[in-house]
């Protein structure tokens, strides 16, 4: 019998094995177990219902539990903590990752948790199903990097299954793929002698068997397929001789393995860059709790490997069954001219308390293989810095979508990261020869002399005053280019988007618009630039280049001598819509949407819409415009398309302050902001030399050890200038657990058409028991009371709600 035949027979075989393995349908408490598809009579369910079902599973000592449900709220703590309790009780949980594909950053919870086996869908040609959600996980943003998910993929398109009434029907969705893997898990459990099951089988050992036995597919990357297609026989061979151990998933990071290692394989390392971060999962098959004996160690294979500096953040306490290991990698200054590959291993040792009858603790060494490509440091004009720090997404707050034309997706929850919903733009920039780095810390934490352009796209957070002052100096005096893609912001429209959530029994109001225009206006004020509060929609053309303006804003201030482009659009804001009715039939005045200007030694370009860069709800892309903007801001190349004489401003564009958009006064913005009420500090995603400091006017302390044969090259380490360092705080010991706190995050989820969530393994948000308890004490009462509505994933639409 072939493996494919076995997978077709899983439904039948599972029923045969029911005498030794119990499979819990998430809604079994409310309806009889009928088939593996877990088709619910309900499309909307509540957190409290799941807590009851989970408690039932624990009470009757279930072995395997399948969940074909999920949602985007990975901060619904009552739900998430109950999932931890489920797996801590040695129940193997399998869950669908969601049907939000082909978008990235769309993992649904609980499939995104490390202790859960997250399953994606493929068709019979081993292609990733278009509906299957993609990684990376987004819990870790902005100061960390998401984990690899799904764990495995299985057949989930046009699968024959039973109807609730009678007969069979064709089913599609990750809701179908997930129970297929649950059936595989049940078969694997049944081959282990019952007397040995409690010593061998647990959520970690089962995941080890699945990911190590999976068949890697040729085309998809790691955030599409995880370890690959589940392989029952290979996993069986692994389990047959299994001895409790710890391991790392993925166990290999190879920059030369494209496309599987995307995005790491798309951009090599080089000296002077922001650290490249990789977040791996520790699987501890030795016990529900484990500990890291000592700091992870980098073992280079050759002398060139000493050019690589790695700082680690990791969970000293591994619970339940899983932890995380985050690598922060940067090339030392003496490697600025090095070109080649660096290979080696990262090792760490894990131990767990002894099992009953054992005298000493269990211990295991984990190995992560690295193969990295390094190039000489690119010239400044080819380096672009992406601002991730000032992005706020759902959860924890109600952050509304950017395109108001989209009615079935009210939340902005895809991460707004270069490698999630901006991944196509990232690939385009790499194809154009640009090197793109990510900044997850304030503007004071980077050296402007190293970058051609700072790219600000769809940002919702506020800015420290020090950031505003430094950016002004960076542009005017240091020649940094600035490119801004804004979004809509209108007070009346935000109020209209308020709704009552019958799960939390509370009113939900957007905490900001598509972007935080009042904050952006403060940032751009030194340059005489400001955005308004119109919500503009329409098609336009610049010399034959067709584009769509989707819920963008207008430019209301711009300095004399700059160049602006304006077009006649309809204003769909609440006040604008009324005005449109009153003036129907009259000629609409042009609204300025694109501006370019030289300021001191630097250059600035602003555009009022980001949808044309965001793959989430894009109608038409504007990558052509972005490339022309970067040519201008980074290299002062002025395309005639953007700089015609007719676009030059002979007089400044100006409105009074009282006509500019204002901030909301009815929202406690500090609950969602990384700026308001917070300390200015450089986090672990910035250069190692400035970790734990404010970064502003910092004299970088200490230099890398000079290696024989590699001259030390000054890459502008001084971050503007030297200064008194007596009041600067040194970075904390990075050889220990560098978890930068679980933070004040909470869980709670709004219902969606489609959902599934990501697991926690960020460089500074993790979930060991002790840390999780500390994090709970920090949660606000409002968040603790959240009981978000979860959307049931049926089995056939390929949309979220139907996993």
């Amino acid at each position: 019998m072939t493996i494919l035949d076995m997978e077709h027979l899983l439904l039948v075989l599972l029923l045969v094995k029911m005498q030794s393995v119990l499979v819990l349908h998430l809604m079994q408490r409310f309806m009889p177990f009928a088939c593996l598809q877990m088709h619910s009579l309900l499309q909307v369910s509540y957190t409290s219902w799941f807590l009851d079902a989970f408690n039932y599973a624990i009470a009757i000592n279930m072995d395997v539990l399948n969940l074909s449900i999920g949602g985007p709220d990975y901060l619904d703590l009552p739900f998430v903590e109950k999932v931890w309790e489920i797996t801590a009780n040695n129940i193997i949980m399998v869950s669908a990752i969601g049907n939000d594909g082909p978008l990235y950053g769309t993992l649904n919870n609980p499939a995104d948790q490390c202790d859960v086996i997250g399953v994606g869908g493929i068709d019979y040609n081993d292609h990733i199903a278009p509906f299957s959600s993609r990684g990376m996980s987004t819990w870790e943003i902005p100061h960390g990097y998401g984990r690899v998910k799904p764990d495995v993929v299985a057949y989930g398109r046009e699968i024959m299954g039973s109807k609730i009434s009678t007969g069979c029907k064709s089913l599609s969705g990750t809701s179908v793929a997930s129970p297929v893997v649950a059936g595989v898990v049940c078969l694997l459990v049944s081959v282990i002698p019952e007397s040995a099951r409690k010593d061998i089988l647990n959520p970690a050992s089962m995941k080890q068997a699945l990911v190590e036995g999976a068949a890697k597919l040729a085309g998809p990357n790691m955030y599409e397929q995880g370890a690959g297609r589940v392989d029952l026989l290979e996993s069986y061979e692994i389990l047959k001789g299994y001895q409790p151990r710890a391991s790392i998933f993925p166990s290999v990071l190879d920059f030369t393995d494209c496309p599987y290692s995307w995005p790491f394989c798309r951009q090599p390392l080089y000296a002077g860059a922001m650290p490249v971060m990789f977040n791996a999962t520790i699987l501890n098959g030795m016990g529900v709790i484990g500990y890291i004996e000592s700091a992870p160690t980098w073992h280079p294979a050759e002398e060139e490997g000493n050019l690589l500096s790695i700082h680690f953040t990791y969970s000293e306490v591994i619970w339940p069954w899983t932890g995380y290991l985050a690598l922060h990698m940067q090339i030392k200054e003496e490697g600025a001219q090095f070109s080649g590959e660096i290979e080696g291993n990262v090792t760490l040792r894990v131990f767990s308390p002894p099992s009953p009858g054992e005298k000493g603790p269990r211990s295991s060494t984990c190995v992560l293989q690295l193969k990295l490509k390094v190039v000489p440091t690119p010239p400044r004009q080819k380096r672009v810095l992406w601002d991730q720090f000032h992005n706020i997404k759902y959860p924890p707050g109600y952050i509304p979508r950017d395109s108001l034309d989209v009615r079935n997706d009210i939340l902005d929850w895809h991460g707004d990261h270069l490698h999630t919903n901006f991944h196509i733009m990232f690939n385009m920039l790499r194809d154009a020869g640009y090197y793109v780095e990510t900044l997850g810390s304030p503007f004071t934490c980077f050296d402007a002399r190293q970058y051609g352009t700072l790219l600000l796209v769809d940002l919702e957070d506020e800015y420290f005053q020090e950031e505003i002052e430094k950016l002004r100096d960076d542009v005017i005096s240091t020649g940094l280019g600035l490119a801004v893609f804004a979004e809509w912001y209108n007070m009346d429209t935000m109020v209209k988007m308020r709704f009552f959530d019958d799960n939390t029994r509370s009113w939900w109001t957007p905490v900001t618009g598509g972007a935080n225009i009042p904050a952006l206006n403060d940032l751009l004020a030194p340059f005489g630039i400001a955005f308004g509060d119109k919500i503009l929609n329409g098609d336009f053309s610049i010399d034959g280049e067709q584009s769509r303006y989707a819920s963008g804003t207008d430019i209301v201030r711009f300095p004399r001598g700059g160049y602006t482009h304006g077009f006649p659009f309809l204003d769909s804001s609440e006040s604008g819509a009324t005005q449109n009715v009153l003036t129907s039939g009259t000629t609409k005045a042009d609204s300025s949407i694109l501006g370019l200007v030289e300021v001191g030694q630097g250059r600035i370009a602003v555009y009022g819409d980001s949808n044309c860069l965001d793959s989430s709800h894009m109608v038409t892309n504007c990558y052509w415009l972005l490339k022309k903007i970067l040519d201008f801001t980074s290299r002062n190349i002025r395309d005639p398309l953007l700089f015609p004489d007719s676009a030059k401003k002979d007089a400044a564009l100006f409105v009074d302050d009282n006509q500019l958009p204002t901030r909301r006064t009815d929202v406690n913005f500090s609950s969602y902001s990384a700026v308001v009420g917070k300390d200015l500090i450089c986090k672990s995603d910035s250069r190692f030399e400035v970790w734990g400091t404010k970064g502003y006017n910092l004299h970088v302390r200490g230099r890398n050890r000079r290696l024989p044969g590699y001259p030390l090259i000054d890459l502008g380490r001084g971050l503007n200038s030297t200064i008194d360092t007596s009041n600067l705080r040194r970075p904390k010991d990075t050889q220990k657990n560098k978890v930068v706190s679980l933070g004040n995050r909470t869980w709670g989820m709004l219902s969606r058409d489609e959902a599934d969530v990501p697991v926690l393994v960020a460089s500074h948000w993790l979930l060991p028991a002790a840390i999780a308890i500390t994090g709970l004490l920090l949660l606000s009462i409002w968040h603790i009371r959240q009981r978000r509505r979860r959307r049931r994933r049926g089995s056939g639409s390929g949309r979220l709600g139907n996993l």
Side-chain angles (χ1 to χ4, degrees), residues 235-469:
S235 296
Y236 162 72
E237 292 296 330
I238 292 171
L239 271 184
K240 189 169 61 174
Y242 182 84
Q243 294 296 321
R245 55 182 170 83
S247 63
I248 294 177
F249 171 69
S251 60
V252 177
L253 176 60
D254 184 353
F255 273 45
T256 66
D257 183 11
C258 258
Y260 181 75
S261 291
W262 182 93
F264 304 100
C265 64
R266 284 304 314 269
Q267 182 166 300
L269 274 69
Y270 48 86
M274 292 293 168
V276 172
M277 291 183 284
F278 180 66
N279 205 344
T281 301
I282 301 171
L283 302 174
N284 180 27
M286 299 182 296
V288 65
I289 192 169
Y291 306 90
I292 305 295
E293 276 190 0
S294 58
T297 306
W298 161 237
H299 307 277
E302 304 289 345
E303 180 186 354
E304 289 79 5
N306 291 313
L307 293 173
L308 175 66
S309 179
I310 308 180
H311 284 210
F312 302 95
T313 57
Y314 55 93
S315 46
E316 286 186 320
V317 179
I318 300 173
W319 181 92
W321 308 104
T322 56
Y324 72 93
L325 171 65
L327 283 65
H328 308 253
M329 301 173 285
Q330 67 181 41
I331 301 299
K332 299 176 182 178
E333 293 174 16
E334 48 264 47
Q337 300 302 322
F338 176 75
S339 179
E341 295 178 354
I342 289 177
E343 295 188 60
N345 296 325
V346 171
T347 61
L348 79 161
R349 194 160 185 81
V350 177
F351 72 92
S352 288
S355 292
E358 296 180 347
K359 296 182 179 180
R362 294 179 169 185
S363 182
S364 179
T365 299
C366 303
V367 178
L368 172 61
Q369 301 177 36
L370 295 182
K371 184 176 182 180
L372 312 175
K373 186 177 181 180
V374 182
V375 297
T377 301
R380 175 185 187 182
Q381 61 267 26
K382 284 292 185 180
R383 295 175 63 180
V384 176
L385 188 61
W386 170 271
D387 180 13
Q388 189 67 45
F389 178 73
H390 296 95
N391 166 258
I392 304 177
K393 60 182 178 59
Y394 174 83
Y398 175 10
I399 309 299
R401 63 186 182 272
D402 296 323
S403 176
L404 297 178
D405 292 333
V406 178
R407 304 298 181 185
N408 63 345
D409 195 354
I410 66 171
L411 301 171
D412 185 5
W413 63 283
H414 298 165
D416 285 349
H417 191 278
L418 282 170
H419 304 145
T420 57
N421 50 311
F422 288 97
H423 70 285
I424 300 176
M425 183 199 74
F426 167 75
N427 288 336
M428 179 279 298
L429 291 175
R430 289 295 300 127
D431 291 340
Y434 286 100
Y435 293 81
V436 194
E437 302 171 33
T438 301
L439 176 67
S441 289
F443 292 161
T444 59
C445 302
F446 77 93
D447 184 356
R449 295 173 295 175
Q450 305 306 312
Y451 299 94
T453 299
L454 174 64
L455 184 56
L456 313 183
V457 179
D458 184 23
L459 300 179
E460 296 89 1
D461 212 337
E462 296 286 332
Y463 300 88
F464 292 103
Q465 184 60 36
E466 293 91 336
E467 293 183 279
I468 297 174
E469 295 171 359

Side-chain angles (χ1 to χ4, degrees), residues 742-757:
L742 198 154
N744 56 353
R745 304 285 175 173
T746 63
W747 299 65
M749 132 178 153
L750 289 175
S751 64
R752 291 180 29 77
D753 273 345
E754 304 144 32
D756 253 90
V757 191

Side-chain angles (χ1 to χ4, degrees), residues 766-777:
L766 198 88
L767 11 99
I771 297 175
I773 293 172
T774 302
L776 277 177
L777 297 176

